[in-house]
Amino acid sequence: MDTIVAYEEARKIRDAQDIYCTKAEAGLWDSLASEVPKDLQWEALVDVLRGKVKSTSTLTLLVTLMVLRGHCAKLSNEFEFHISAIHHAHSAYLVTPLLEKFYGSKPAVAMFATNARYQQEAYRGSEFAPKILNDAGFDVIMKSDHPVLNSRYLLYEAAQAHLYGLPANKAIQSVTTIPAATAGFGHRLGYVKPGYDADIVLWDSHPLALGATPQQVFIDGIPQISRPVKGHKPAEPHDLPKTPRWEKETNDAIEYRGLPPLKGREPRKVGFVNIACLWERQNSAESLMKVVSEKKDGVMVGTMIAGLSVAFSNSGAHPLEDGAIFKNVTALHIQISTGGQPGVSTQIGLLCQILLSSDDSTITKWFHEVTQGTLPLIVHVNNADVIARLLKLKSDVEKMTGTPIRMAFFGGLESYLLAAEIAAAHVGVIVAPSAMGSFLYIKPLADETLGRSRAFPATEDSQRIIPGPPLSDHTVITRLLEYNVTGRLESGKDGKLAERESRRHITKSQALALASTNLEKIFGIPGSPSMLHGNLVAYEGGDIFDPESKAIAVVSRSHKRIDLF
């Protein structure tokens, strides 16, 4: 039914109820109907008009905001009800004057901190949106939209919003008092004060600091962690993290409507002074997947093959630019699925058959390169039992061919159980908590991936994970590094979190390697022989590990250019 018609019906019932109550209060009993006017179909809308039920709206796309804003504003003003919040409003910061036309006070905006540009509706989202909305007088709420982001680490969204300019007090309020008040529970939730239902969390450092970990949680006064792990952390995370100045970037986000130019200024020469530290860094690479499939012996091989990956430079404007792609095929990716058909044994048996096959089809030629030791085989797997079967397969095939296979596991949440065996087999592990279940999930490498570096046993294949602090001293990464396994984190930004959470088990050098050179080793990508042949990234306010730092220059020898930001 048309929305306006629905609200009209609700208004008629509300007005009839008001008339009924007015007559009752006046003692006009003879003119009263036998019962209060009501209709269950419109009961909820009647309460919305009376302000008893909160009304929210999901407005994601900028065009939707601009078109439906007029409709929503007209609707809320005509029927005089307040819209308490709009959700997924990635582009709301671009149309703040329009949102002010809603009836009553301004609506709160529930959004992610940096998880944007993943689809058309979020294409113009900006990491500076929370700051811009707050400056315009809007209440900002950080959300997870679980399982899009893990709701267990919702506070990390607040930390990210603070990093990009949202004041610290507003960042804390965005996950406490503001959502409580917006949802209509501000009278009993959101504060630590007498008469309120408050759970208490004690942190080992400032809650907005990277790697902040709860040491104890009190629910109804009862401690929830029986033996919390306590370890040493550097002094700086205990304080409120300093953040860079983002005035220019914030203005650019508005001027370019969420899509500021990525290209910086190009001076002829540049000099650096007052250098505090220098890390040698080689080119990193990410993977693009192309899915291929082929039937063999009645089994769909394509259900196992995730694709081929390509190594490319993030600084390339397009694939045809000189140096944009520096290795066309870096690895063959397959995934071993559990809990379905065909079974794990069938899949591994088929993999062995293809590896040893003499067939020269389009698909098997890539497997031949694997057995010849010229192409890495990346297996997407979490389960330790499957990992053990794959290690046995690797050993058997190598004995038959006489050539070592270059293998690595992607996911690897239970790989620490076989750390010694993995190290002995010279197999690498790309720890990727988002690669859960029997499917391949590829997502943009945004700051949100830091929240994903903390694994959770969401599927049967990840039931034996190491939870990490405060429940355990170690993590999957620290256990693998103990046995000198070549490990890599799913995102370069995860290196920061791994170093902070490791309680000194991981050095900064190791964290940098986890985010860069270890990937080159796993994929066999030729690294830069020296810093002069790679890219030099300059940070202001600290190094890559400091939250108050930001990249201000990139010097690229390969592209023969300097970019200043």
Side-chain angles (χ1 to χ4, degrees), residues 10 59 82 333 363 502:
L59 300 174
H82 178 235
H333 295 250
I363 299 298
S502 69

Side-chain angles (χ1 to χ4, degrees), residues 14 86 142 249 305 316 346 540 555:
R14 182 201 63 185
I86 54 175
M142 291 294 106
E249 291 83 357
I305 298 178
T346 302
E540 181 182 50
V555 181

Side-chain angles (χ1 to χ4, degrees), residues 378-396:
I378 310 297
V379 186
H380 297 241
V381 60
N382 283 314
N383 186 278
D385 300 316
V386 179
I387 290 174
R389 295 286 302 275
L390 290 167
L391 292 175
K392 180 66 167 57
L393 169 68
K394 180 179 184 293
S395 175
D396 292 343

